[in-house]
């Protein structure tokens, strides 16, 4: 066979969504009204291209990273390549079996045992039953949950659940692996294990397409990177150059610098807006001053285990603070509507540097992610006028500054 | 080394042959989803099975009171409860496949938006659990029939034929309902009403021999009528439907399956964007 044939080849690949005139008809009555108003076809007017004119070739065995800001088209590209949705224009050819991990644990059922879920999840990912059976012991060992195999997964801790879910996915025998951000959950130790497994997969000559906002993961796992911006591939080359290109893009492209607003055609459970209340000026915060973040959440359908969490992340997108609410606490749990949510930090102790927010809205029970925003609301922390004004504070001196007093006694 | 299969992704639609082959390739998923439904239903063991039996028994009881006692509907010489139950077995199979197939997509948004597989698997996968329910109700029927002095005979051969016909009818309607439910939420309100109507338009609570002869041709235009009468004939030996009516139903079932699958595949490509 021709070994030169690329594993993935795409030409003019694009996906357009309809926008304008609110959401499309979802009942027959609305559809009829539509038909009367626009007797000659749908009055669709505008289309929004989530991805446009994507063209690339990926040789077999290459691991390729995909990075880009929110709404750049990363997820759309993965959904097209994994055939979850269909393109509006262009085409792609995939040579070999495709395994897509858009979300780990898809189809896990809380009432079923670990063992039952392994087989169900394997089948959902496209594995034959005998393949799952053959690798069953490996999967269980990787997940480290052998004692709980016959326990319903609703009794699993969140960590055990994720481990099992990732273990099934990691043992998928696919020639092409399409991976979206599965590593963003779980503890450090487990993340390391997953990264190791991903590296192994890439080393065995399989083709990996990897979307992540963890620049660290991208740089360790991939040699080539595509950078997407506003639906187009704006960079395709060596990962080191790609990361530099992406950082430059982030600095240049800050349109509304210190606030975030979702696009007006966004539907479903989502964060409508985010805004910082900083102590010195817009986007500038002094270390030790009060700090607040305001959000508007839109929740059109009730979710009993809705969890809202916010990270403050540093320049290398490492999470520094973590604020979260879920369970019985928040008003928005298990009900619908629009909510204003505010986080107040009485003394914000982060050391000088540039930071941004990462926001998650997800279901804690099923791990379904409704909205995930990275790199929004960038802001700067200064240490002007703080103790030791003559001291030249630098970001690497520490991560945060704690209140403290000395007590000294001579013996 | 085997040659890797090439998958082409574009704005076109796969041929029906290829679609069928792909469903075959994913047959293990069909079984896995089928066993999932079964496990979930029967996990609370006793009550799970009990409900499956109690539901048609209760319906037969109500029918017995309204049609047997008050309206005194003719039952071709059978005790009314047995008479109604013999057709309710088939009716429940039909309506449970149709109802559950119709919600199979909208109740699994996670599967539809996160992973690829032939979407027809979802409405198809409700069939195994419905078949097990059917087996349980048949067992309950057999006990009652035996107690009444009935013994099965060669006519039982008609039973699987009736089940297959009802299954194909339910699958065809279920494909269309499942796909349309993604686009129009009205389907979930319309469907129960339509199913209720179909129940009274079909020979379940009464016998088609109670229908005036000049209406019969019109009556058998309902493709459910012939297989339900066939089922009652096979279990109790009541009058059989005419061969003409049976062939008409077979044709209608196949046609409905093709139309239902075509509607499904027409909308399928946008499921992930609309659900």
């Amino acid at each position: 066979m021709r070994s030169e044939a690329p594993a993935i080849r795409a030409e003019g690949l694009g996906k357009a969504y309809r926008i304008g005139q609110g959401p499309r008809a979802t009942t027959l009555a609305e559809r009829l009204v539509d038909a009367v108003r626009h007797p000659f076809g749908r009055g669709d007017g505008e289309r929004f291209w989530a991805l446009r004119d994507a063209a690339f070739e990926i040789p077999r065995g290459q691991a390729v990273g995909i990075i880009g800001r929110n709404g750049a088209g990363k997820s759309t590209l993965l959904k097209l390549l994994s055939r979850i949705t269909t393109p509006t224009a262009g085409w792609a050819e995939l040579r070999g079996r495709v395994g897509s991990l858009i979300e780990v644990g898809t189809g896990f059922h809380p009432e079923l045992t670990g063992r039952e879920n392994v087989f169900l999840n394997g089948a959902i990912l496209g594995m034959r039953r005998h393949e799952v059976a053959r690798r069953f012991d490996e999967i269980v060992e990787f997940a480290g949950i052998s004692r709980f195999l016959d326990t319903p997964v609703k009794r699993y801790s969140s960590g055990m659940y994720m481990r099992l879910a990732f273990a099934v996915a990691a043992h998928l025998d696919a020639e092409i692996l399409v991976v979206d951000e599965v590593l963003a959950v779980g503890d450090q130790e487990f993340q390391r294990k997953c990264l190791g497994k991903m590296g192994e997969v890439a080393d065995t000559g399989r083709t990996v397409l990897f979307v992540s906002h963890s620049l660290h993961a991208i740089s360790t796992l991939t040699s080539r990177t595509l950078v997407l911006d506003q639906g187009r591939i704006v960079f395709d080359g060596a990962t080191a150059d790609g990361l530099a290109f992406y950082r430059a893009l982030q600095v240049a492209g800050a349109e509304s610098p210190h606030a975030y607003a979702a696009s007006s055609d966004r539907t479903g459970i989502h964060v409508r807006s985010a805004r910082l209340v900083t102590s010195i000026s817009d986007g500038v915060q002094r270390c030790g001053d009060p700090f607040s973040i305001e959000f508007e959440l839109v929740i059109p359908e009730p979710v009993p285990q809705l969890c809202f969490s916010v990270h403050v992340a540093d320049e290398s997108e490492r999470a520094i603070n973590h604020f979260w609410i879920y369970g019985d606490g928040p008003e928005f749990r298990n009900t619908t509507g629009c909510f204003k949510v505010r986080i107040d930090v009485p003394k914000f102790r982060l050391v000088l540097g540039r930071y941004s927010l990462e926001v998650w809205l997800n279901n804690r029970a099923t791990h379904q992610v409704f909205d995930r925003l990275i790199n929004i609301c960038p802001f700067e922390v200064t240490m002007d006028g703080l103790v030791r004004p003559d001291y030249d504070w630098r970001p690497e001196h520490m991560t945060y500054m704690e209140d403290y007093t000395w007590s000294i006694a001579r013996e | 080394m085997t040659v890797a299969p090439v998958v082409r992704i574009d704005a076109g639609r796969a041929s029906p042959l290829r679609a069928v082959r792909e469903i075959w390739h994913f047959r293990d998923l069909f079984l896995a989803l089928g066993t999932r439904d079964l496990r979930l239903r029967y996990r609370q063991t006793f009550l799970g099975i009990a409900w499956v039996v109690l539901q048609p028994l209760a319906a037969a009881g109500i029918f017995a009171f309204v049609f047997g006692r008050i309206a005194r509907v003719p039952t071709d010489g059978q005790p009314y409860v047995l008479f109604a139950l013999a057709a309710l077995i088939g009716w429940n199979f039909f309506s449970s496949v149709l109802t559950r197939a119709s919600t199979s997509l909208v109740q699994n948004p996670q599967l539809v938006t996160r992973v690829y597989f032939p979407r027809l698997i979802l409405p198809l996968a409700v069939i195994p659990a419905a078949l097990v329910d059917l087996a349980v109700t048949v067992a309950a029927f057999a006990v009652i029939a035996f107690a009444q002095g009935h013994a099965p005979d060669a006519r039982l051969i008609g039973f699987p034929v009736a089940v297959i016909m009802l299954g194909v009818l339910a699958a065809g309607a279920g494909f269309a309902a499942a796909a349309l439910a993604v686009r129009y939420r009205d389907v979930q309100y319309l469907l129960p009403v339509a199913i209720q109507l179909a129940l009274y338009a079909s020979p379940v609570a009464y016998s088609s021999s109670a229908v005036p002869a000049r209406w019969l041709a019109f009556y058998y235009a309902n493709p459910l009528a012939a297989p339900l009468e066939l089922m009652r004939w096979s279990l109790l030996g009541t009058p059989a439907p005419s061969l003409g009516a049976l062939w008409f139903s077979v044709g209608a079932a196949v046609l409905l399956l093709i139309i239902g699958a075509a509607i499904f595949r027409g909308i399928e490509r946008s499921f992930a964007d609309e659900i």
Side-chain angles (χ1 to χ4, degrees), chain B residues 25-38:
Chain B
H25 181 78
F26 273 86
R27 60 194 180 277
D28 283 0
L29 175 59
F30 165 76
L31 289 176
L33 288 172
T35 39
R36 174 191 73 175
D37 287 356
L38 266 180

Side-chain angles (χ1 to χ4, degrees), chain B residues 34-275:
Chain B
T35 39
R36 174 191 73 175
D37 287 356
L38 266 180
R39 286 215 172 93
L40 292 176
R41 187 115 41 102
Y42 290 94
R43 182 132 291 176
Q44 291 91 356
T45 44
F46 180 72
L47 266 190
I49 297 173
W51 282 121
V52 172
V53 178
L54 277 176
Q55 212 185 348
L57 276 183
I62 293 167
F63 281 172
F65 184 70
V66 176
F67 292 94
R69 287 265 151 180
I70 300 176
R72 298 200 179 274
V73 167
T75 62
D76 302 323
Q78 298 294 335
Y80 187 85
V81 170
L82 216 51
F83 170 85
L85 209 51
L88 267 172
I89 289 171
W91 173 261
N92 275 9
F93 173 66
F94 169 81
S95 75
S96 88
V97 169
L98 174 53
T99 309
R100 282 192 239 144
S102 75
T103 57
S104 61
L105 290 172
V106 287
Q107 291 196 337
N108 286 296
Q110 259 207 307
L111 293 186
V112 176
T113 57
R114 301 279 190 263
V115 64
Y116 174 79
F117 55 86
R119 306 305 189 203
L120 270 172
I121 296 268
L122 281 174
L124 278 174
V126 307
I127 294 175
L131 279 174
V132 172
D133 287 358
L134 177 77
V136 173
T137 42
V138 167
F141 173 85
V143 170
I144 300 172
F146 185 74
Q148 300 266 353
H150 273 276
D153 58 28
R155 281 177 288 210
L156 216 51
I157 190 75
F159 184 79
V161 177
V163 170
I164 291 171
M165 287 171 71
L166 290 168
V168 172
L169 283 164
F175 291 165
L180 291 170
V182 172
R183 193 161 281 184
Y184 306 114
R185 305 293 161 175
D186 314 63
V187 171
Q188 58 185 321
Y189 305 110
L190 272 173
L191 195 65
V193 177
I195 289 178
Q196 275 297 313
L197 273 177
L199 171 61
Y200 290 104
S202 306
V204 178
Y206 56 90
S207 162
S208 58
S209 57
V211 177
R214 61 199 155 97
W215 291 108
L216 265 186
F218 187 64
Y219 186 78
Y220 276 108
N222 168 12
L224 291 167
L228 288 169
E229 286 287 20
L230 178 67
M231 182 170 282
R232 187 140 57 200
W233 169 79
S234 73
L235 293 173
L236 289 177
T238 53
S242 74
L243 266 181
L246 271 174
W247 277 117
F248 171 80
S249 275
V250 168
V254 171
L255 194 68
L256 189 61
L257 190 71
I258 292 170
I259 293 174
I263 292 176
F264 190 95
R265 278 163 49 75
I267 305 181
E268 182 178 23
R269 302 174 61 80
S270 58
F271 283 162
D273 304 328
E274 294 189 19
I275 207 160

Side-chain angles (χ1 to χ4, degrees), chain A residues 50-53 72 227-235:
Chain A
L51 185 74
R52 188 151 211 186
D53 279 339
V227 181
L228 271 71
D229 193 44
Q230 297 177 9
R232 290 180 188 269
I233 296 177
V234 292
F235 177 92

Side-chain angles (χ1 to χ4, degrees), chain A residues 330-343:
Chain A
E331 296 291 325
F332 56 71
R333 188 188 76 106
N334 220 355
T335 179
T336 62
C338 300
F339 299 89
K340 279 191 160 56
V341 177
R342 185 179 162 113
I343 301 171

